[in-house]
Amino acid sequence: MSFKDIFNIDGEVKESAHARVNLIGEHTDYTGGYVMPTLLSFKNTIEITENNTNEFIVYSQYFKEKKAFNDFKKSTNNEWVDYIKGCLHIFFEENKISSRYLNIYISSDIPLERGISSSSALCVATLKALNTFFETKIKDPEIAKLAKKVEFNYIGVSGGIMDQMVSSIGIHGKAFFMNCKNLEYELISFPKNWKFCLIDSEVQRNLRNSSYNERFAELQEAERSLGVEYLGGVKKQNFQPDKFDNNTIAKRAKHVVFENDRVINAKKNLIENNIYEFGNLMNESHESYSKDFEASTLDVDLIVKRSVECGALGARLTGGGFGGFTVSLIERNNFSHWYSKILNFYPAEKIFEVN
Ligand code: GLA
C-alpha cells in the first residue's frame, strides 16, 4: 500500500536514511574512540503531508499498521511508533515551532534487531523529512545529534553517535572513519578488489534487553578505575591491566583500547590497499569482541570461523553484539569460490553483498 492508498493524497516530502555495517571499531564510540562503518543499501523512507485532523497519523508499511496520537507520550510496551513520537517531540522542542498535524508514511527494507542500526536510520530519515517539511535547514551532523537525543533521552537506550552520524552523512560505497571524541570524519573509497558480505546469524538482538547497557556501564567503571574521562584517550602501549581490581572490567577495557588501535591501523591499510592486513585486523577484532568483551554467541563464532575457512580474509560480528549480522572481507576475484563454499552452510537469503 502506498502513501496515496493510505491517506488519499500524494506525499509532499520524502526523505531516506540507510542502515550501516560497522567494519571495525565496536563499543569505541561512546568511549571517545574510533569507528569505521559504511552504509548498506537497506533503507527507511519517510513521506509526510499535513492533515486537517487533530492528530498525527503514522502508517508503517513494514508492520502494516496505522497509529494515531495527539500527544508525544511514550507507550508502555515499546511500540515502533515511539521512535516517530520521539522524533516529533525532540524536533518541535528543539526548533521551538508549534506543531502541525501530519500524515507520516514509513517504508523500510531494513532487517530489524540485526546490529545494522535500523532504529538510527528510522530517526535520521524522520528528522530529515521534518527538516525538509518545516524548512528548518538543520545540517546533517546536527540531525545526527538530534537522532541520538531521541534514542538516548526519549527511548532510553544507551549508545554512542556512530550510527546516527554515518546514517546522516555517509556515502554509499565509502568507509566512514570517525573520531568519536570530536566527530571529525573522513570518507574513504574502497579499493576495487575489496568486497564485503554480510551473513545473518538470525540471532535477534534487542539493545534494550541485551547486555549492551551492562557493557556500557562496565566501560564507565573502567574509566573511573583508570581515572580518565575517556578510554579512547588511552594508548595501547600505556594500557596496564593491573590498574583494575576486577578482571572482567580489565578485559572489557582492553578490548576498547586495542580496538581503537586496530581501527587506526585499518584506516591506514584501507588507504594503502593492504587487504590481507585489513582482514587480519577484522579477525583480531572478532577474537577480542568474543573473548575479552564477551559480546558474541556460539552461532556467530561459528559463522565467522566458517567464513574464514571458505576463503574470507577477515570476518567479525558487527554492531552492538549478542547476535545479528557478521561481516566478511573477500578478495573480489575469490568471491565466487567463497560464495559457493559458504552456501554449503548458509542459504543465499542469509547472505548480503555490501559493495
Ligand atoms: C550500537 C550503538 C552504537 C555502538 C555500537 C557498538 O550500534 O548504537 O552507538 O556503540 O552498538 O559499536
Side-chain angles (χ1 to χ4, degrees):
M1 297 245 262
S2 66
F3 191 100
K4 191 148 192 188
D5 297 329
I6 302 291
F7 298 111
N8 239 342
I9 38 168
D10 285 319
E12 214 175 298
V13 155
K14 192 174 184 170
E15 294 287 351
S16 298
H18 289 250
R20 62 97 186 100
V21 50
N22 193 17
L23 302 174
I24 194 158
E26 232 58 87
H27 287 255
T28 47
D29 58 351
Y30 57 85
T31 43
Y34 300 90
V35 291
M36 196 155 63
T38 188
L39 290 184
L40 298 171
S41 53
F42 299 126
K43 66 173 194 278
N44 268 300
T45 302
I46 303 288
E47 285 176 77
I48 296 185
T49 52
E50 187 159 7
N51 69 34
N52 298 320
T53 70
N54 56 357
E55 52 187 9
F56 292 90
I57 306 172
V58 187
Y59 180 80
S60 161
Q61 159 271 330
Y62 192 100
F63 291 103
K64 306 208 174 354
E65 245 185 313
K66 196 188 216 180
K67 302 267 181 190
F69 51 90
N70 53 18
D71 63 48
F72 301 136
K73 257 190 246 124
K74 191 168 160 252
S75 74
T76 47
N77 50 342
N78 298 324
E79 292 183 11
W80 58 264
V81 75
D82 287 337
Y83 286 92
I84 308 298
K85 288 184 183 176
C87 287
L88 290 164
H89 176 64
I90 300 279
F91 181 84
F92 290 132
E93 194 177 72
E94 294 275 329
N95 290 294
K96 315 244 171 317
I97 40 179
S98 50
S99 74
R100 277 144 66 187
Y101 293 108
L102 306 170
N103 294 322
I104 303 176
Y105 179 94
I106 314 167
S107 50
S108 172
D109 62 354
I110 309 181
L112 300 184
E113 306 295 355
R114 299 292 213 286
I116 54 171
S117 90
S118 52
S119 57
S120 297
L122 176 59
C123 294
V124 167
T126 306
L127 290 163
K128 284 196 171 180
L130 293 171
N131 190 31
T132 307
F133 186 83
F134 288 96
E135 297 176 349
T136 30
K137 299 193 169 49
I138 306 168
K139 300 246 169 20
D140 287 346
E142 297 309 310
I143 292 277
K145 287 182 202 159
L146 289 182
K148 160 131 199 245
K149 243 187 194 171
V150 174
E151 297 207 49
F152 203 79
N153 296 3
Y154 183 90
I155 302 287
V157 225
S158 309
I161 187 83
M162 159 173 71
D163 304 343
Q164 297 85 351
M165 282 292 281
V166 65
S167 188
S168 186
I169 303 169
I171 296 177
H172 200 247
K174 293 201 185 230
F176 184 87
F177 170 85
M178 181 169 69
N179 173 340
C180 301
K181 182 119 189 282
N182 56 20
L183 303 189
E184 280 175 12
Y185 61 87
E186 283 171 58
L187 286 154
I188 307 166
S189 299
F190 295 120
K192 291 207 173 35
N193 56 324
W194 295 38
K195 189 160 179 67
F196 291 96
C197 266
L198 304 181
I199 304 174
D200 189 354
S201 72
E202 286 193 328
V203 182
Q204 289 217 356
R205 48 185 296 280
N206 186 334
L207 276 188
R208 268 170 297 235
N209 302 332
S210 75
S211 307
Y212 185 96
N213 289 349
E214 192 183 295
R215 295 294 180 279
F216 190 93
E218 285 169 346
L219 293 180
Q220 285 181 325
E221 191 180 332
E223 285 164 348
R224 281 194 296 274
S225 305
L226 293 180
V228 295
E229 195 185 350
Y230 286 112
L231 263 183
V234 179
K235 294 262 174 306
K236 181 173 135 180
Q237 54 274 21
N238 298 334
F239 182 71
Q240 293 174 296
D242 55 3
K243 290 266 168 167
F244 300 90
D245 306 329
N246 178 323
N247 187 39
T248 302
I249 302 297
K251 285 201 306 181
R252 305 294 190 250
K254 180 179 168 224
H255 164 76
V256 167
V257 170
F258 282 62
E259 184 81 346
N260 277 320
D261 192 70
R262 283 188 284 268
V263 184
I264 291 167
N265 276 326
K267 176 193 164 194
K268 184 171 168 283
N269 285 307
L270 174 63
I271 292 169
E272 294 173 3
N273 193 1
N274 298 324
I275 191 168
Y276 295 99
E277 286 82 347
F278 193 102
N280 284 339
L281 290 166
M282 288 176 74
N283 292 332
E284 283 171 24
S285 167
H286 183 75
E287 178 83 4
S288 164
Y289 208 29
S290 175
K291 302 274 162 52
D292 286 334
F293 211 67
E294 294 175 280
S296 188
T297 69
L298 291 176
D299 291 336
V300 168
D301 286 347
L302 187 61
I303 296 177
V304 165
K305 184 167 165 279
R306 283 175 170 163
S307 179
V308 172
E309 282 169 0
C310 291
L313 298 175
R316 53 181 300 278
L317 171 60
T318 185
F322 315 99
F325 280 107
T326 61
V327 56
S328 300
L329 170 62
I330 304 129
E331 203 162 13
R332 207 172 276 276
N333 58 15
N334 193 35
F335 177 70
S336 48
H337 172 80
W338 175 84
Y339 192 70
S340 64
K341 291 194 95 179
I342 205 80
L343 283 179
N344 294 324
F345 301 106
Y346 307 103
E349 309 84 74
K350 285 214 225 168
I351 304 168
F352 302 87
E353 295 175 34
V354 174
N355 62 327

